[in-house]
Structures are given as structure tokens and as C-alpha cells.
Amino acid sequence: LLKAGREELETGVSADFGIFNDWRLGASLRMDNGRDFGGDPRFQGLPDIPSTLRARISTGSSLGERWSWSTSIDKDLLGRRGGSRLSAGLGYRHPLTEHSYWDFGLGATYGDKTYLQTHYGITPETAQSVGRSPYTLSSGWENMRANLQYTHVLNEHWVLFGGLDLSRMLSAPSRSPLVGRKTTHSISAGIAFRGKR
């Protein structure tokens, strides 16, 4: 929504560079809040995932008038078992008017061994202490996502939006005993206010 009707922006503490006419390169820092089991008896004794600072570098380009692709990599900078992730996506924009459009996107995320083990695994040491079976992962695909969003720019500051997001866990993470739903969805709608560029 920050970029609707404007140039694309990275979120977080960021910098954005135009490297070629149709290419973008972005860099940002963002907080990852980790995970707190919050006393859930299903996960009794399992260690929480600490918060950390992640660095993210992204790039992307248009593929003609309506298609675009993007990819990014982010990494835990504080060594708190956050590991690294690689994300890639393909997008299609269908304009309705000068100020409104539909966006459709497909994407997937790949995690390294450290990231997937921290978020979906149970180490042998932890398993022994809590009386559960260990679950170990190597690097691999984490999930696939699809989204559909409608955006209408009212003016420089106000934007209406609404959409549907679907996510499906893949491969080893989907079989983790820490995963409940393998497929999740969300519906969003609202109005957003933006400051000056």
C-alpha cells in the first residue's frame, strides 16, 4: 500500500536503488519477533525462538507491461538460530482504471537447515528432555503462497484495499509435529493513510 501509485519501497529501515531501467535493488533491516509458545500444553518444554534482527536484500524486474518477478534473501544477523531464507515470486497486475487495479501473485520460500530446524524441528536433546520424538530437517522448501488483492488509490494520501491470501506448507516443514494447519488463508480489507513521499 505504501507503493500504490508510487515507486516500490522496502519496508523497515531500508534503502532502494535503481540499478537498470527495469530493475530494482533494495536492502532493509527488520525485527523478527521469533516465537513464544505462551504456555501451550501441546508444546510444553519446547524452547521459544528468540527475537532477532534480519537483513534483507531484494531485487526484481518487470516482465513486460503487466508481469513482474521478484526475489529476496534474508539472514539472521545476531546468530540466534534464525538462519537464512530465499523467497521468489511472480506477479500479474490487471489495471481497471488509472487509480485502481487487481494484483495476483504466486511465491515460494526456501529455508536453510538452521532456519527450518529452528522453526519446525525438535532436536534430539530437546526431545529427550520433554519425552517426545525428535524431528530433524535439512534445507528445503518451506511454503508456497498465492494472493489476490484489489487496490484503489483515492488520492496522494488515502488508499482502499482488500484481498485474499492462501499459504500451503511444503515438504518436511508440512510434516513437522509443530505444524497444525498445513493450509491457511486470510481475508483483508481496509483503508490506509500514507504520508508525503
Side-chain angles (χ1 to χ4, degrees):
L1 296 175
L2 288 175
K3 68 181 181 179
R6 301 175 173 179
E7 294 295 323
E8 183 171 357
L9 298 172
E10 279 283 345
T11 57
V13 180
S14 64
D16 192 44
F17 312 95
I19 51 177
F20 298 108
N21 287 340
D22 294 325
W23 285 66
R24 303 299 298 175
L25 175 66
S28 63
L29 296 174
R30 60 184 63 189
M31 288 300 300
D32 183 337
N33 291 325
R35 181 180 62 201
D36 182 353
F37 286 118
D40 191 323
R42 295 175 300 169
F43 307 115
Q44 187 73 31
L46 296 179
D48 293 332
I49 300 174
S51 299
T52 191
L53 180 67
R54 303 189 75 91
R56 181 174 183 260
I57 296 175
S58 62
T59 186
S61 176
S62 61
L63 297 172
E65 184 178 347
R66 297 187 179 183
W67 292 90
S68 64
W69 68 271
S70 63
T71 186
S72 67
I73 186 168
D74 62 81
K75 180 176 176 57
D76 172 13
L77 293 182
L78 303 182
R80 296 180 177 174
R81 300 182 286 116
S84 301
R85 295 177 298 186
L86 174 67
S87 297
L90 181 67
Y92 175 80
R93 173 165 294 180
H94 179 70
L96 300 174
T97 69
E98 183 180 353
H99 300 291
S100 62
Y101 51 84
W102 285 98
D103 279 322
F104 175 74
L106 285 174
T109 300
Y110 187 93
D112 69 2
K113 180 179 180 179
T114 300
Y115 172 80
L116 293 184
Q117 182 63 37
T118 296
H119 287 79
Y120 303 103
I122 302 175
T123 66
E125 295 78 14
T126 298
Q128 186 174 15
S129 66
V130 299
R132 301 186 63 163
S133 299
Y135 190 76
T136 58
L137 301 89
S138 58
S139 58
W141 293 104
E142 179 187 16
N143 60 45
M144 177 174 285
R145 306 171 305 279
N147 61 78
L148 178 67
Q149 179 165 301
Y150 172 76
T151 302
H152 180 72
V153 180
L154 296 174
N155 53 45
E156 174 67 13
H157 298 292
W158 292 97
V159 182
L160 288 172
F161 67 93
L164 172 67
D165 291 271
L166 297 173
S167 179
R168 171 71 181 181
M169 302 296 299
L170 300 176
S171 60
S174 71
R175 298 187 292 272
S176 168
L178 304 183
V179 171
R181 292 184 180 180
K182 297 181 181 180
T183 301
T184 59
H185 69 277
S186 64
I187 299 174
S188 62
I191 183 169
F193 175 79
R194 310 177 296 180
K196 293 181 179 181
R197 281 187 272 190

